[in-house]
Amino acid sequence: MSDWKYETDEVGEDGYEPEAADESLEPLEPGSPSVENALFVALGVGTMLFVFARIVLLAG
């Protein structure tokens, strides 16, 4: 007996259980981003650009 949970003939071609699809879960719908989330993303991008610029300037 193997230590694996599933045998190769018990899973589908994608590696998932064929009966693993849970119909009770609703599909995710895309939404519009909030201003707060967009500001945090912009702040993160700006911070990383600053860090990369400092690394390039110190190395050169």
Side-chain angles (χ1 to χ4, degrees), residues 43-60:
L43 179 65
V45 169
T47 302
M48 290 312 299
L49 288 175
F50 176 76
V51 169
F52 289 145
R54 292 290 295 182
I55 290 172
V56 168
L57 290 175
L58 289 175

Side-chain angles (χ1 to χ4, degrees), residues 10-12 16-21:
E10 294 176 344
V11 294
Y16 298 106
E17 294 179 76
E19 56 272 349

